[in-house]
Amino acid sequence: MITFTLNNQTQSYSGDPQMPLLWYLRDAAGLTGTKYGCGMALCGACTVHIDGDATRSCRLPMAAVADKRITTIEGLDEKNAHPVQIAWAENDVPQCGYCQSGQMMQAAALLSANPSPTDEEIEQSMSGNICRCGTYPRIKKAIKAAAGSEKA
Ligand code: FES
Ligand code: FES
């Protein structure tokens, strides 16, 4: 039995320990905000936080989440009012939206570790999150808007 915390709720899982966490999130927990993009840890669409660190859930086996604290986009803020979410809305960042929960989870982890990142630090941290709609300039603008916020 694998136990872990998902968005502040204790969960247990007794299935295949090699099943990717993303499958559990979407199919078992019904948390469909986290997206499947490449399935190869190359695009960032499936990014969640594991003990606060941005992590690709598509390649992370359930065995690796034992006793971990997992946060998805649904649990980032109970009122969907994390500074990153507010900045995303105010800057009209999404286009199709598919990549955006992963982008926000990556950005939230960046700002938690580094509340005032430089342009280079933003680019480096976000470089693994692909947006086929090319919203990169708005993503960067929103991260800067959220930077320095008390809750970031
Ligand atoms: S779906 Fe996980 S990185 Fe692309
Ligand atoms: S908003 Fe469409 S892929 Fe990023």
Side-chain angles (χ1 to χ4, degrees):
M1 182 76 76
I2 296 166
T3 60
F4 51 93
T5 304
L6 175 58
N7 295 341
N8 292 322
Q9 292 193 324
T10 301
Q11 306 267 321
S12 57
Y13 171 77
S14 56
D16 180 358
Q18 293 308 311
M19 185 180 83
L21 171 62
L22 180 59
W23 274 228
Y24 180 88
L25 295 176
R26 292 183 56 86
D27 295 342
L31 298 172
T32 54
T34 307
K35 303 302 186 193
Y36 176 88
C38 64
M40 298 176 71
L42 293 172
C43 76
C46 65
T47 303
V48 298
H49 294 174
I50 307 291
D51 288 346
D53 295 327
T55 306
R56 311 304 190 222
S57 61
C58 67
R59 299 286 284 184
L60 190 72
M62 292 302 293
V65 304
D67 303 321
K68 302 288 188 188
R69 182 171 48 88
I70 303 164
T71 305
T72 69
I73 188 70
E74 292 89 348
L76 186 59
D77 184 275
E78 58 186 22
K79 294 180 178 170
N80 292 328
H82 185 282
V84 162
Q85 291 170 306
I86 292 171
W88 247 245
E90 289 180 346
N91 287 278
D92 291 327
V93 174
Q95 188 160 318
C96 81
Y98 198 84
C99 72
Q100 298 292 336
S101 67
Q103 303 278 4
M104 285 189 277
M105 295 306 282
Q106 184 75 32
L110 164 65
L111 293 175
S112 178
N114 180 1
S116 299
T118 64
D119 281 14
E120 291 71 27
E121 288 168 336
I122 292 172
E123 286 161 14
Q124 185 176 23
S125 176
M126 301 303 295
S127 64
N129 286 73
I130 308 303
C131 176
R132 293 195 67 173
C133 299
T135 64
Y136 301 113
R138 295 201 296 275
I139 288 171
K140 196 170 181 184
K141 192 175 168 197
I143 291 173
K144 290 176 148 204
S149 166
E150 284 180 24
K151 285 183 68 183

